[in-house]
Amino acid sequence: MSDTTVYVLNGPNLNLLGLREPEIYGSTTLDEIAGMLEDRARALGLTIDMRQTNHEGMLVDWLHEAQAEGARAVLLNAGAYTHTSIALLDAIKAIRTPVVEVHLSDPKTREPFRHLSYIGMAAALTVEGHGPDSYRIALEAVASGEV
């Protein structure tokens, strides 16, 4: 890894993008988002390391790994763990690598339980509500030095 690598970590159920509640999350798949991000990263002089898991502890491990490997930043769409995971909050606080919280939808416009973001309590930036473009906007923020 190098300081041009950006980890893009995706949490539970994001493997079902394109199929899962398309009226909320759209019809774009995670693989399609990865392809778009790889192209944009290349144009910005960055590389991405895109991953998805349904397991909270794996996300914690990957956050630690991002720092150990010298990643430039992490884009994190923690899915439902956004609203429940103190472990992810603590992992973000424990590393120096900046984390950008990413959401396809805008959680503040959804069910009340989604209004609390543990990830946002420690993230350097939150990008939400832009569909798949949320990832691109977050990547561009990293490339511009905003994060």
Side-chain angles (χ1 to χ4, degrees):
M1 282 310 138
S2 74
D3 67 352
T4 61
T5 300
V6 177
Y7 278 49
V8 183
L9 306 181
N10 296 278
N13 300 308
L14 290 164
N15 55 306
L16 298 178
L17 281 180
L19 301 173
R20 174 185 176 229
E21 299 177 281
E23 67 281 3
I24 296 172
Y25 302 109
S27 58
T28 305
T29 67
L30 196 59
D31 285 342
E32 290 168 335
I33 291 171
M36 177 268 298
L37 272 184
E38 287 168 2
D39 291 344
R40 188 65 188 128
R42 196 170 17 264
L44 295 168
L46 300 171
T47 58
I48 63 163
D49 185 337
M50 182 110 166
R51 305 174 185 191
Q52 187 278 328
T53 183
N54 292 318
H55 304 282
E56 181 181 30
M58 184 61 69
L59 290 169
V60 170
D61 289 344
W62 288 341
L63 286 164
H64 296 174
E65 179 186 319
Q67 176 170 288
E69 294 295 326
R72 172 102 163 248
V74 175
L75 309 186
L76 174 60
N77 184 343
Y81 291 139
T82 298
H83 320 291
T84 64
S85 183
I86 295 168
L88 286 173
L89 168 63
D90 286 348
I92 295 166
K93 289 168 62 175
I95 63 174
R96 291 179 309 282
T97 306
V99 174
V100 179
E101 178 183 24
V102 176
H103 297 287
L104 297 162
S105 67
D106 181 350
K108 293 185 296 298
T109 66
R110 298 184 57 201
E111 304 93 334
F113 72 86
R114 295 187 194 274
H115 297 183
L116 172 66
S117 171
Y118 286 106
I119 305 306
M121 292 177 186
L125 177 69
T126 297
V127 180
E128 58 196 4
H130 301 281
D133 278 340
S134 293
Y135 288 89
R136 178 190 53 77
I137 293 165
L139 184 67
E140 289 173 351
V142 170
S144 74
E146 181 180 341
V147 177

